[in-house]
Structure formats: structure tokens, C-alpha cells
Amino acid sequence: MKFLSPPSIRQNPNPNVPLAALLTFVIDEPLETLVQIADKDRTWDIRFDSNRCPLEGLPILGMRPDRHHTITVSLVAESGKVVTAADTLDYRTPPLPTGYEFPHDMRINVDVREQREPGVLLLSVHRIRTGRYQNWSNEDFRFGFDWGIIVALDHDNEVVWYYRSDSFIEGVDQLANGNLLFHRWDLHTLEIDMLGNTVNQWYAARRPQGPVADAVAVDTAGLHHQPKELPNGNLLIFTADTTEVDSYYTDHFDLNAPRAPATVVGDGIAEMDRETGELVWQWSTFDRLDTMRIGYGVTDDYWTLRGFEGALDWTHGNGASYDESDDSVIISLRYQDALIKVDRKSGDIKWILGEPTDWGNLEDKVLTPINLTRWPYHGHNPRITTDGTIVFFDNGTWGSRPPKPPIPPEENYSRGVEYRVDEQAMTVEEVWASDTEFSDNASHSPDMGDAHKLAITGNMLVVWAHCVMRTPGQVYSSNDQSGIFFNELSMSTMLREFSRNSASEIVYEIEFYDKDKRVNWGMYGALVIPNLYPS
């Protein structure tokens, strides 16, 4: 029980996770390692079991930036005997990146720590220039879509880890093995470890950007939004494909405007074999829904921005959750303004949670509302809770379907909401909501957003990706010249954690913003994990 070579520490060789470090040494037998770390504010321990080989490098995670750390390394035998290395190590973490390479402008508006969910807060952060998309230069596009970051904050709101990507990052999930899983804007999906190393990667075989070296090709035109891990270890993913429609809408405000041939993108949901990339189960919106049922935004440039020139955005799937109790999937179709539950075995739609207009032969699948504040519009990312309820981010965007006039962005609000569905009675009840009316305390996020019911406290975590200014005369579409496009104005991005008392008390609120009002920071979503190390 001894050190054959003394411990040494070096910065993580993967530059994408610069706050991590690798501890290496050689010992004469497999033993537990105890690492004690101290900076000017705190002291903490990390334990590695005897299965971890220190010669390969032990990951040191959780250090704050630009700090001097003193590190003591000890070996621990099963008997309890401890041997400590003769010398302590000194290590200084690098500072955070400067300028717009990191969201430096941060406000903590509320922090009732004793009521918050314990753990580490992971934030999927992006940046875009203010302005209309069609006025952006190529440099502006690269600035927004060739950059993304996942930031980890500890309970003191200090940065303790971050991962830098060369692509906008969509939703992030933690796998059972502790690795992180996320889709990128370029239709490429990654599994990384906490040192930022790519463990697995997949790409859409028919994506406009072409193949990805060393990645598994998946038979689809698009991999996008929020992937999830299934109980069997496979992945639940959103796919996308196109169809040609001879006569399609050209104006989502005027459904009687002249129609024209169009390339229409529709979404699918699939189970992907993690090893091979094979789609072992698939369900397509083209097979089950009417392509002529549209929502506001169908004629916008979303898929053009992702490489599908001129393609229209019919369904815009953006989140799915697996219901193990009956082998079904609940999916969010943003531009259908609906949550839909699909039976995996038959492919049949079990129910629809959304306003009951224009569903045709599916109208009997629409749930009857009980005490709903409103129908959800353009929402994101349903999650089934352990209680069997559904937590969802209801953006409220547009606040109506064509041809009914929309609610202006500055007069609208978004919210986290929890639903309970009674499948026998075919009803839906609103169990909880962060907001039930437009108010001074409400905020509106036209795009993205996230909501969770947290595991330990039962608190609700809600993310407003972009908080619209209250300036009058705003419009939702970059192509709409009748008013101010909301992204022309400076917006913050906000996360709130709510207790579950009757008053929906806010116990935590954090905002990122740009003091110079040139860039709109956004949080695509958030996740609370117990710690940075796999359990």
C-alpha cells in the first residue's frame, strides 16, 4: 500500500471542458483514492473506488474558475488504513472566457437556498445577435449557430464546470451512466463524458450538412430537439423528413391567399438503437395527421436556417416523453399547438391535449378540459412525472391558431404547467401552473423553454429562454414587417424555481442578459443533477 510515483495534476487535455483536471499517479495495488481539495472559500472531498485506475487519470471536477487550489491525495485500504502522499499539489484553474464567449452578465434575483433543490444546475446556453434573421450577415449566423455552451452552477451560484461546443446545443439530458446527451443545431447528436470527450455520436444521414466523421448515420433527414434515454438503454429521438405538396398555404395570416407547391417538413418520433443507429420503432406525423392543419409559424424560415432551403415547418416536434405504464409516447408538436399521446404497438393516437379545432376524424381524441387556464400554444418538452402527471412549458406563443388573430408578444405570457389526464373520462385537469394570467410578474418566451418537477423537493423548475420586452407593437415572425420583431429588442433569459405551496412561491430566480444590449442570451433548457460525478 504505497505510491510508486507521486501524484501529479494537469489541466484536462480536452479544451472543451477547461475547468476539469486529471490527477495521475502509480500505486502497487488497487485501492480507494481520497482527494481533498481546498480553495479560498471551501474544502471538499472526492472519493474514487478501487476500480478506477489512477494511471489513466482521475477526473477532478467541480473547481471554480481562476482559483488557486490545494490538493491532498490519500490511499484508503478496506481496513481503514490511510496513506497520504508526502506532498500536496497546487493547481490554478483558468479564468472564464472573455467577451461573448461566456454569459458574464448574471443576476440572482431570488435565492432561498434552504428551499431549493439540492444539486448542480446545468444550463444549455446560446447566444444570438439582436435583429431580424434575414438581415443577419454570415458572421452573425456563425456567431449564433456555430457556438453553444453547457454551464454548471453550484448551490452558491458559482460556475464549477462548462462544456463549449462549436454548435448551438438543444436540450440536454443525463444518461444512466452519468454522461450527457444532446442534439446540436446541425442535426448531429452527441453523448459526452464529463471531461467533454465524445463517447458516442450519431448524425442524420440525409442532413444538408453531409456526413460526420466517426459518427453513426441514422436514416432520417433530421435529428433534433430533446433526446431521451429509454429504460432499455435505447434513445427516444425526434426525426424529420420532407414531402412535396402541390398546393399549400403561402400566408399563415390569410388562409385564402393563393397557394403554391411547397416542400413541407414533418416530424417523426423513433426509438434508436444506441449501438447501431437503427430505428427499431418509428411513428410519422405524415401518416397520422392532416398536413393542411397548420399553426402560426408554418411559413417561417426555421428549416431554411437549418439547411433545408425554402422548406415549410408543418409540425415542429420539440419534445417527447416515454410512458412505461402503457408503452406509449407523449409528444409535443409546437405548430399543431398540441400534446399527443401515441400507442407504440398500434401507432394509434390515444388522446390530444390542445384546442379542439380542425382535427377532422381525430376530434373525438381531443381531451375535455377541467379548470384549464387556457389551451397550450407552441409549447415545449413534455415530461411524465413519477405521479403520472405531465409537466410542460406552455409558451403561449401567438395565443391562437389561424385565422384567429394572434395575441401580441408584449401582451402574452408563458408558463410552466402540470396536467393530469384521465384517459377513461378523456379529460385533462390543470394541477399546477407558474402563471395563470398576464401580470407584472409574468414573462413571455416565444421560443424554446423548459419545465421540470424536481426529484427531491418536488419543486418546479421553469425556464423562459427569451423574455420579451413590454414594448408595444411587436410581432412574432421575422418576416412580418407590420411591427417590431421581438428579437430586434434586448431580452434576458430567466430560470425560476417554485415551491409547491399554494402561492407558488419563487425560491430561486436567475437571469442572464447583455448589459450592452447587442446580444440576446438564451437558455434552451435546464437540468438539476445530484453532482458532477456519475453515481
Side-chain angles (χ1 to χ4, degrees):
M1 184 180 176
K2 60 182 179 180
F3 290 93
L4 299 181
S5 71
S8 63
I9 190 167
R10 61 190 173 102
Q11 187 176 3
N12 179 23
N14 188 331
N16 292 332
V17 181
L19 292 185
L22 283 178
L23 176 68
T24 56
F25 52 91
V26 179
I27 52 179
D28 62 344
E29 60 179 309
L31 293 165
E32 179 183 335
T33 300
L34 171 63
V35 183
Q36 297 171 299
I37 307 173
D39 65 17
K40 65 184 180 65
D41 297 316
R42 59 189 182 133
T43 300
W44 74 100
D45 296 345
I46 305 170
R47 289 182 177 269
F48 298 95
D49 65 31
S50 59
N51 294 321
R52 300 297 297 265
C53 177
L55 181 59
E56 296 175 356
L58 302 178
I60 304 301
L61 309 173
M63 294 182 289
R64 296 170 179 174
D66 202 16
R67 302 286 177 94
H68 175 263
H69 297 80
T70 301
I71 300 170
T72 303
V73 182
S74 301
L75 305 177
V76 183
E78 288 187 10
S79 65
K81 181 182 177 182
V82 176
V83 173
T84 300
D87 298 320
T88 58
L89 301 173
D90 291 321
Y91 182 75
R92 188 170 191 89
T93 47
L96 294 175
T98 58
Y100 289 122
E101 291 302 305
F102 199 88
H104 293 280
D105 299 330
M106 182 174 74
R107 285 190 288 257
I108 308 297
N109 299 322
V110 181
D111 190 358
V112 188
R113 300 194 185 191
E114 64 275 12
Q115 295 187 45
R116 287 172 52 193
E117 181 82 359
V120 175
L121 180 62
L122 289 183
L123 305 172
S124 172
V125 179
H126 61 273
R127 63 186 188 188
I128 57 173
R129 301 283 191 196
T130 56
R132 290 180 181 262
Y133 307 145
Q134 62 267 40
N135 296 334
W136 281 353
S137 66
N138 289 334
E139 181 183 351
D140 291 334
F141 277 104
R142 288 192 295 270
F143 178 86
F145 295 116
D146 293 354
W147 184 93
I149 196 167
I150 305 171
V151 180
L153 300 179
D154 65 15
H155 221 55
D156 294 324
N157 304 307
E158 295 275 0
V159 176
V160 289
W161 181 93
Y162 69 91
Y163 168 84
R164 198 253 193 220
S165 169
D166 60 358
S167 175
F168 181 111
I169 295 174
E170 297 184 315
V172 178
D173 202 11
Q174 187 179 44
L175 300 170
N177 62 12
N179 292 340
L180 301 182
L181 176 73
F182 55 87
H183 288 314
R184 296 162 39 115
W185 178 258
D186 56 4
L187 310 173
H188 174 196
T189 303
L190 264 67
E191 177 187 347
I192 63 167
D193 65 21
M194 296 306 290
L195 291 173
N197 302 312
T198 299
V199 177
N200 288 300
Q201 55 179 326
W202 308 265
Y203 72 95
R206 299 192 299 280
R207 72 178 197 149
Q209 299 88 345
V212 177
D214 303 320
V216 176
V218 181
D219 185 19
T220 180
L223 295 173
H224 60 96
H225 286 86
Q226 178 81 50
K228 299 274 197 327
E229 186 176 29
L230 292 166
N232 64 5
N234 285 344
L235 302 181
L236 184 67
I237 58 169
F238 261 108
T239 60
D241 275 297
T242 61
T243 193
E244 300 301 318
V245 179
D246 292 335
S247 179
Y248 207 66
Y249 301 106
T250 57
D251 186 338
H252 57 185
F253 293 113
D254 181 7
L255 302 188
N256 294 316
R259 298 185 183 182
T263 300
V264 174
V265 177
D267 294 291
I269 190 74
E271 177 184 347
M272 184 182 76
D273 184 286
R274 199 154 154 180
E275 299 298 324
T276 66
E278 179 188 359
L279 301 180
V280 298
W281 174 81
Q282 297 185 67
W283 186 89
S284 172
T285 53
F286 285 130
D287 297 335
R288 300 284 176 166
L289 302 177
D290 180 3
T291 54
M292 302 307 289
R293 185 187 192 274
I294 66 166
Y296 279 116
V298 65
T299 57
D300 283 350
D301 298 329
Y302 176 80
W303 283 106
T304 293
L305 292 174
R306 300 193 81 156
F308 294 84
E309 185 66 35
L312 303 185
D313 193 6
W314 168 48
T315 51
H316 199 114
N318 58 28
S321 190
Y322 177 63
D323 190 343
E324 193 171 4
S325 69
D326 61 358
D327 191 29
S328 63
V329 177
I330 296 173
I331 62 176
S332 167
L333 300 177
R334 174 172 165 86
Y335 284 4
Q336 294 295 302
D337 295 307
L339 291 172
I340 295 177
K341 186 169 188 180
V342 174
D343 178 71
R344 291 221 313 166
K345 185 176 181 179
S346 66
D348 292 341
I349 292 174
K350 301 186 73 170
W351 51 252
I352 298 169
L353 198 172
E355 69 163 66
T357 54
D358 301 328
W359 287 106
N361 60 6
L362 292 172
E363 64 180 357
D364 63 329
K365 302 295 184 181
V366 179
L367 298 171
T368 299
I370 298 175
N371 79 315
L372 255 61
T373 301
R374 67 182 186 191
W375 290 113
Y377 287 97
H378 276 46
H380 275 81
N381 216 359
R383 302 177 189 275
I384 299 174
T385 73
T386 54
D387 300 322
T389 58
I390 302 161
V391 173
F392 185 55
F393 186 76
D394 169 20
N395 293 76
T397 308
W398 299 91
S400 62
R401 288 190 58 248
K404 184 179 177 181
I407 298 172
E410 71 274 12
E411 298 175 15
N412 207 342
Y413 70 96
S414 307
R415 64 197 190 131
V417 59
E418 183 178 6
Y419 298 116
R420 179 179 291 113
V421 172
D422 184 332
E423 295 190 357
Q424 299 302 313
M426 288 293 285
T427 59
V428 57
E429 177 185 3
E430 191 172 295
V431 178
W432 178 90
S434 62
D435 299 87
T436 56
E437 62 183 357
F438 182 74
S439 68
D440 291 342
N441 197 47
S443 191
H444 182 36
S445 178
D447 49 12
M448 296 169 276
D450 203 3
H452 293 262
K453 189 173 187 177
L454 299 174
I456 296 174
T457 59
N459 288 351
M460 305 296 285
L461 190 75
V462 184
V463 173
W464 286 260
H466 294 124
C467 298
V468 165
M469 299 288 286
R470 292 289 174 90
T471 304
Q474 294 184 62
V475 296
Y476 281 113
S477 174
S478 182
N479 298 323
D480 185 351
Q481 300 296 327
S482 67
I484 305 165
F485 178 46
F486 66 82
N487 191 61
E488 293 183 271
L489 303 174
S490 177
M491 298 181 290
S492 66
T493 180
M494 180 176 69
L495 175 147
R496 284 173 169 169
E497 182 178 340
F498 297 83
S499 70
R500 289 300 297 266
N501 61 27
S502 59
S504 298
E505 176 190 4
I506 298 172
V507 298
Y508 183 59
E509 181 179 297
I510 181 174
E511 286 185 275
F512 293 144
Y513 64 100
D514 177 20
K515 65 180 185 299
D516 296 322
K517 299 185 178 181
R518 295 191 299 168
V519 167
N520 284 330
W521 293 102
M523 286 184 265
Y524 185 95
L527 194 66
V528 176
I529 60 175
N531 56 67
L532 293 173
Y533 286 92
S535 57

